[in-house]
Amino acid sequence: MAFPTPGCERSLSFFKIDHNTMKLHHILAFLLLIILAACSLLVGVADVSISQVLAGDHHSLTIILVSRLPRLLAIILAGAGLSIAGLIMQQIMQNRFAAPSTTGTIDWAMFGYIVALIFFADMSTWVHLVTIFVFSVLGTVIFVRFLQRLKFKNTMLVPLIGIMYGNVVSSMATFIAYKYDLVQTMGSWAVANFASVLQGNYEFLYLALPVSILAYAYANRFSAASVGESFAKNIGLNYQRIILIGVILVAVLSSSVVMIVGVIPFLGLIVPNLVSLFIGDNMRRNLPWTAYTGVILVLSCDILGRLIIFPYEIPISMIISILGGSIFIFLVLRDKANA
């Protein structure tokens, strides 16, 4: 009869401790999400308390169901959706500084939004969403094709070109907006704000759920594509098809968020990088934590925006811009130090 060696006992003991630690991390992460979600439901201009809700107060329940709960769900879906979009973009672009906001995807989505307002103003919201989606896919594919032709792709060169490319597209959209007197409308959508989210006008964000499931199903393929076209082809994968699927998923997530909430800068860039610092580069393992971290970040910034100058509210894009810009500089300097 074989007995485990002392070394084996230590290994089993280490595994047990590691497993228990992981369970503790999951419990703490869940509790943090519940606490922030409860704060989001209770913080606002209208005075709502847990006791009023439990007592069935009609006014409090109406505020929760019509305004606060839709806002919370929109924050969760937008935070998770844009973070996953950034993770997919970084995989298919083979660059950790790639994101919807640094590859022109968001700018093309805004361009599509302006076009939808001009030519399809009287049509349904679905037509607007499809228009934004088509422009996002088209613009991102153009950028991906351009990068594939570049022989030299420095880590910092890709986002630099992407930002310049996005600025050109944004300038064209602004020019058209001036011509059709839509500058103010465009400006309001360029600054993300969850204050306008109400029951009945945020449900398109639920597209993030099936897209996230698809992203998880294709995680291993995206990881293979991130190694390079030759490697993907050697293991029997259609590299161009994987890239196109990734672009479509990113475009759907970005389009729905831009249309309902507005532009949230840096989110898809910083969240996947922060998660990879602690967990590694395995996309299948990273994706749930990337979605969770995006939700926590957006939820925290939204609550902070409601409290800083209460009862007034600071748009979430301003807070994330400050935080995201600082983290982006840190990541750039860290990447340069580790080069």
Side-chain angles (χ1 to χ4, degrees):
M1 184 176 184
F3 294 93
T5 63
C8 183
E9 289 179 357
R10 284 195 295 270
S11 299
L12 291 172
S13 175
F14 173 79
F15 177 79
K16 186 176 180 180
I17 293 172
D18 187 62
H19 179 68
N20 291 335
T21 304
M22 285 180 60
K23 286 182 65 176
L24 179 61
H25 288 168
H26 291 163
I27 292 172
L28 292 176
F30 179 73
L31 289 176
L32 177 61
L33 178 61
I34 293 299
I35 292 171
L36 289 176
C39 292
S40 179
L41 290 175
L42 298 175
V43 172
V45 177
D47 187 21
V48 176
S49 65
I50 297 176
S51 59
Q52 290 174 330
V53 174
L54 294 178
D57 180 69
H58 177 72
H59 179 66
S60 299
L61 287 174
T62 301
I63 293 173
I64 291 290
L65 295 177
V66 175
S67 177
R68 303 278 176 85
L69 185 59
R71 179 173 185 150
L72 174 61
L73 293 175
I75 290 170
I76 292 173
L77 294 169
L82 272 186
S83 300
I84 292 173
L87 179 61
I88 297 171
M89 185 67 80
Q90 290 173 16
Q91 294 290 319
I92 63 176
M93 301 289 286
Q94 304 170 36
N95 190 294
R96 66 174 61 253
F97 294 124
S101 57
T102 59
T103 55
T105 304
I106 296 293
D107 301 283
W108 274 100
M110 288 300 298
F111 196 174
Y113 173 69
I114 293 297
V115 171
L117 289 179
I118 294 171
F119 296 102
F120 311 116
D122 298 328
M123 295 190 180
S124 68
T125 312
W126 275 106
V127 176
H128 292 185
L129 181 63
V130 170
T131 304
I132 297 172
F133 164 71
V134 169
F135 273 77
S136 298
V137 171
L138 177 64
T140 309
V141 168
I142 291 172
F143 184 69
V144 171
R145 296 295 188 193
F146 172 73
L147 282 185
Q148 288 176 346
R149 292 177 176 272
L150 285 180
K151 294 182 179 180
F152 177 72
K153 289 184 283 189
N154 179 272
T155 304
M156 291 307 303
L157 185 64
V158 172
L160 181 61
I161 295 175
I163 292 171
M164 293 170 62
Y165 172 69
N167 284 338
V168 171
V169 176
S170 179
S171 298
M172 291 192 300
T174 304
F175 174 79
I176 296 174
Y178 267 112
K179 186 175 181 179
Y180 289 92
D181 197 22
L182 292 170
V183 176
Q184 188 173 357
T185 303
M186 182 180 177
S188 64
W189 285 97
V191 179
N193 193 354
F194 289 95
S196 60
V197 173
L198 297 171
Q199 186 180 36
N201 71 348
Y202 78 99
E203 282 76 10
F204 284 110
L205 287 174
Y206 280 109
L207 288 171
L209 296 177
V211 172
S212 300
I213 294 172
L214 279 174
Y216 187 79
Y218 275 84
N220 290 335
R221 295 179 177 88
F222 292 143
S223 296
S226 69
V227 178
E229 184 174 359
S230 300
F231 177 80
K233 288 183 177 179
N234 286 338
I235 61 175
L237 296 178
N238 188 325
Y239 179 77
Q240 296 300 333
R241 182 185 297 171
I242 293 171
I243 296 298
L244 181 59
I245 291 172
V247 168
I248 291 174
L249 296 183
V250 170
V252 171
L253 292 170
S254 303
S255 301
S256 58
V257 173
V258 167
M259 181 176 173
I260 303 301
V261 179
V263 179
I264 304 179
F266 291 112
L267 186 65
L269 173 66
I270 62 175
V271 171
N273 279 286
L274 290 176
V275 173
S276 67
L277 286 178
F278 295 97
I279 298 180
D281 295 323
N282 186 315
M283 183 176 174
R284 185 176 284 271
R285 185 183 177 191
N286 281 8
L287 194 144
W289 284 107
T290 299
Y292 170 82
T293 306
V295 170
I296 294 297
L297 180 61
V298 175
L299 200 50
S300 302
C301 291
D302 182 69
I303 294 172
L304 188 62
R306 284 186 261 177
L307 292 176
I308 291 177
I309 54 173
F310 186 86
Y312 303 101
E313 186 172 327
I314 298 176
I316 188 174
S317 58
M318 295 184 181
I319 298 175
I320 289 189
S321 292
I322 297 171
L323 179 63
S326 303
I327 296 176
F328 178 65
I329 293 172
F330 164 75
L331 292 172
V332 170
L333 295 176
R334 183 180 182 276
D335 187 77
K336 184 178 180 180
N338 295 334

